[in-house]
Amino acid sequence: MPQTWATLAPDLYLELRGTRRRAGLEQALREAVRSGRLGAGTALPSSRALAQELGLARNTVADAYGQLIAEGWLSARQGSGTRVADRATPAEPAAGVSRPSSARRRSAYDLLPGTPDLASFPRSLWLGAARKALAAARNEEFGYQDPRGLLRLRERLAQYLARVRGVRTTAERIIVCSGFAQALHLLATTLNGQGARVFAVESYGIGLHRDIIRAAGVRTPPLAIDSSGAVIDQLRGLGAGAVLLTPGHQFPLGVSLTAQRRVAALEWARGSGGLVVEDDYDGEFRYDRPPLGALQSLAPDVVAYVGTASKSLAPGLSLAWLVAPSKLVDALVESKRSSGARTGVLEQLTMEEFIRSGAYDRHIRRSRLLYRQRRDLLVARLTERSPGVSVTGMAAGLHAVLALGSGLRGRDEPGIRTRAHRAGLAVQGLAEFRHDPDPEAPAALVVGYGTPPDHAFAGAVEALCDVLG
Ligand SMILES: Cc1ncc(COP(=O)(O)O)c(C=O)c1O
């Protein structure tokens, strides 16, 4: 039975008694949830009871509750009244790819890019693989490991990557990492240790990745992107020791690096002694064409390939794999060893068994179908309801870029994002991925269609069309 505010939160009650308007009430409640004073699941008094207590009109309180429900701070379920929403619980600040985690937590519909559908994580298959792997593990596998990770996982990955992405490697050249982010950290610090001070990046990408490179004391000049992918010619004269590319599916713009540009990137690396870092974050997900093989398959001596389980399974597993050119293996292993970072053996054993048994292939096939259907639905509904908006980039991965048209510019994106937020929708503007700000660039949204659970996806798309008009 929800209590009165005076007993629920006496100090908050004193504050609320001072509010006379809806906006003030909303703000005080929002703040109380944001700061954790009202924890997740806390039952709130009915709007009638609160209105009586505070001497406000009932509608004022009901409207404030309604707004906070739309923003995702509160939830209302028939029979159990209004409560603080589960996702409103304050969490640690985001450290990963999905930076606007506060928006993610507060919104009823999450269309931020970066995360797969966590509700479809194959729990029972994973559990089965974990049981089997644990039972079969040798005692020494629970001991201190080679900094590269468990040998049998690396052997399994070498086979898998050759089969699925054409990657040419042996287990000796694979370093298991906790994510692409860690692989990038190891690469940037290792290269810096070898004297490289410039690590070129694409002019659109993930801010965290740029931050990681810069934290290693290396500059990140940007390469422009056009319809053929990153403009490789711009590497000339930069003095770069490395370039970070997303050749399979540029993130976030969604183009793929053409054959000519691939050759140009490898020529640059051979000619300058530089390294190409290939971020193959969603190589398994192509919907309208067969996937191009990894760039690494053309030149394993100058390309460092990185794949991750963050899109194919879940970021929480913290599993990724760096395939290094022979000349860098020792230095990278030493960087990992001296960083003190270790990768948990249970996840590695389980992942090995998951791939060995074919469960990983089956999971990828199922996920590919799911995401393809979602993308098709998104495109179909936008075509029907928001004809001014066009979906750009190839049919691949877990995100789409929506060009908003109507003369809207980058500087308009925060306003659109706020409007979406008020409608309970978390979205991200393209400008947030730019290396350098350009308020005059055409406005676009980067929409992640992987994240909402299946039952919420159609609703999320309709809410998006409502906002885009
Ligand atoms: C462009 C890009 N690279 C890499 C990753 C994976 O990063 P991590 O393995 O650190 O989770 C993502 C995930 O969203 C991504 O979007």
Side-chain angles (χ1 to χ4, degrees):
M1 193 48 197
Q3 317 95 321
T4 64
W5 279 102
T7 54
L8 179 74
D11 54 339
L12 183 59
Y13 170 64
L14 291 177
E15 263 174 52
L16 293 179
R17 266 206 329 196
T19 60
R20 303 260 47 93
R21 310 176 87 90
R22 175 185 149 183
L25 179 62
E26 254 171 55
Q27 185 50 29
L29 288 175
R30 198 182 284 115
E31 206 36 56
V33 177
R34 195 202 316 264
S35 64
R37 278 164 91 187
L38 291 176
T42 306
L44 304 187
S46 68
S47 53
R48 184 192 303 275
L50 181 57
Q52 253 172 19
E53 247 187 301
L54 299 179
L56 295 171
R58 183 176 171 201
N59 277 352
T60 305
V61 178
D63 288 350
Y65 276 10
Q67 177 60 30
L68 296 173
I69 289 167
E71 290 177 19
W73 297 102
L74 305 181
S75 66
R77 232 177 285 141
Q78 211 146 34
S80 72
T82 305
R83 289 173 183 271
V84 176
D86 282 345
R87 319 208 267 180
T89 310
E92 294 299 313
V97 168
S98 37
R99 291 160 66 91
S101 70
S102 52
R104 192 186 283 292
R105 285 197 307 275
R106 287 179 314 219
S107 299
Y109 294 123
D110 181 348
L111 290 177
L112 298 174
T115 309
D117 176 7
L118 303 176
S120 68
F121 181 80
R123 292 181 193 229
S124 54
L125 291 173
W126 188 260
L127 194 60
R131 256 204 205 104
K132 199 158 177 186
L134 205 52
R138 294 194 308 277
N139 291 345
E140 49 287 11
E141 290 180 319
F142 296 104
Y144 288 104
Q145 298 294 323
D146 185 316
R148 287 174 291 194
L150 210 60
L151 176 60
R152 66 163 128 163
L153 173 60
R154 290 185 283 121
E155 286 171 345
R156 187 67 61 196
L157 283 168
Q159 283 174 5
Y160 173 79
L161 294 172
R163 173 168 60 85
V164 173
R165 305 292 298 126
V167 169
R168 284 154 59 193
T169 188
T170 56
E172 285 65 43
R173 294 200 284 114
I174 297 184
I175 301 172
V176 177
C177 295
S178 59
F180 173 80
Q182 187 188 34
L184 187 60
H185 168 75
L186 295 177
L187 285 161
T189 47
T190 301
L191 292 172
N192 186 27
Q194 299 183 346
R197 297 289 176 269
V198 180
F199 201 139
V201 297
E202 295 169 322
S203 56
Y204 285 84
I206 290 179
L208 173 69
H209 296 167
R210 298 190 286 265
D211 293 344
I212 286 172
I213 298 172
R214 290 177 191 146
V218 181
R219 288 195 299 116
T220 59
L223 304 182
I225 313 281
D226 62 19
S227 58
S228 304
V231 180
I232 302 297
D233 271 359
Q234 293 184 353
L235 279 169
R236 228 180 291 139
L238 283 183
V243 58
L244 172 59
L245 299 174
T246 45
H249 187 216
Q250 204 286 324
F251 188 85
L253 295 179
V255 288
S256 107
L257 194 68
T258 58
Q260 245 177 354
R261 294 268 174 95
R262 285 172 187 244
V263 170
L266 301 180
E267 279 174 3
W268 165 81
R270 292 238 162 80
S272 66
L275 178 76
V276 176
V277 177
E278 176 174 21
D279 175 3
D280 193 35
Y281 64 102
D282 67 0
E284 291 95 344
F285 299 118
R286 296 289 172 275
Y287 312 129
D288 63 350
R289 66 194 85 187
L292 274 183
L295 180 58
Q296 192 269 4
S297 67
L298 303 175
D301 53 329
V302 292
V303 179
Y305 169 94
V306 190
T308 175
S310 289
K311 297 271 198 213
S312 57
L313 279 163
L317 290 183
S318 297
L319 276 178
W321 32 91
L322 161 59
V323 179
S326 311
K327 61 182 178 189
L328 278 180
V329 172
D330 289 348
L332 284 165
V333 169
E334 177 50 26
S335 287
K336 187 169 180 212
R337 190 197 65 78
S338 60
S339 75
R342 300 206 295 254
T343 314
V345 74
L346 297 184
E347 268 77 13
Q348 295 187 69
L349 285 166
T350 307
M351 187 72 193
E352 193 276 325
E353 169 58 24
F354 204 65
I355 300 173
R356 190 206 60 77
S357 67
Y360 191 49
D361 282 321
R362 288 192 292 279
H363 174 70
I364 299 277
R365 279 201 294 276
R366 257 196 315 274
S367 307
R368 196 182 291 131
L369 189 65
L370 169 83
Y371 296 134
R372 186 200 175 124
Q373 286 166 346
R374 288 185 179 197
R375 188 186 155 89
D376 289 348
L377 179 72
L378 174 71
V379 173
R381 295 305 293 147
L382 283 169
T383 308
E384 192 172 321
R385 292 197 51 202
S386 311
V389 172
S390 47
V391 181
T392 65
M394 39 193 272
L398 311 185
H399 75 279
V401 176
L402 313 188
L404 299 185
S406 309
L408 291 167
R409 301 280 141 201
R411 63 183 130 75
D412 302 314
E413 287 173 14
I416 296 161
R417 191 171 160 176
T418 306
R419 238 173 45 223
H421 193 68
R422 288 211 186 98
L425 198 62
V427 292
Q428 224 167 339
L430 179 61
E432 294 170 59
F433 297 92
R434 280 187 68 89
H435 189 284
D436 299 315
D438 178 4
E440 295 310 314
L445 294 181
V446 182
V447 166
Y449 45 81
T451 311
D454 233 9
H455 65 83
F457 186 66
V461 172
E462 295 311 320
L464 179 67
C465 294
D466 289 344
V467 170
L468 296 181

